[in-house]
Amino acid sequence: TQLGISSTWNVEIVKSDEETLYALRRLAIWPGDVYVREPSGSGYWANVEVSFSQKHCELTIPVTLNITRVAGGI
């Protein structure tokens, strides 16, 4: 991923995993950049936008992370 290039990561979180959901909610309101690490092991600073698509009767919550690489952390 190069600077300014975006990627989208889609995951499903088990509805009962309150700790992960809490962390994602905190990330959604975080005003700065974060360090992300891809499954391949490479990491970089990025701006992350989090969106949820929670449905009432589902056992999982789909989460979308829109990640844009930046020059460094703030």
Side-chain angles (χ1 to χ4, degrees), residues 1-2 6 19 21-22 26-27 31-32 38 54 69 72-73:
T1 306
Q2 296 179 356
S6 298
E19 186 175 325
L21 291 170
Y22 176 70
R26 288 179 52 211
L27 178 60
E38 294 182 351
Q54 187 172 1
R69 188 168 181 170

Side-chain angles (χ1 to χ4, degrees), residues 1-71:
T1 306
Q2 296 179 356
L3 293 180
I5 301 299
S6 298
S7 64
T8 301
W9 298 356
N10 295 302
V11 296
E12 288 192 2
I13 307 297
V14 178
K15 197 175 197 176
S16 61
D17 188 353
E18 295 177 6
E19 186 175 325
T20 300
L21 291 170
Y22 176 70
L24 287 168
R25 287 184 181 106
R26 288 179 52 211
L27 178 60
I29 61 171
W30 183 256
D33 301 325
V34 296
Y35 191 79
V36 297
R37 187 172 305 276
E38 294 182 351
S40 65
S42 63
Y44 47 86
W45 285 97
N47 180 275
V48 179
E49 294 178 18
V50 181
S51 61
F52 294 85
S53 180
Q54 187 172 1
K55 296 181 181 173
H56 179 67
C57 295
E58 296 294 321
L59 298 177
T60 60
I61 299 172
V63 179
T64 300
L65 303 171
N66 290 315
I67 300 169
T68 304
R69 188 168 181 170
V70 296

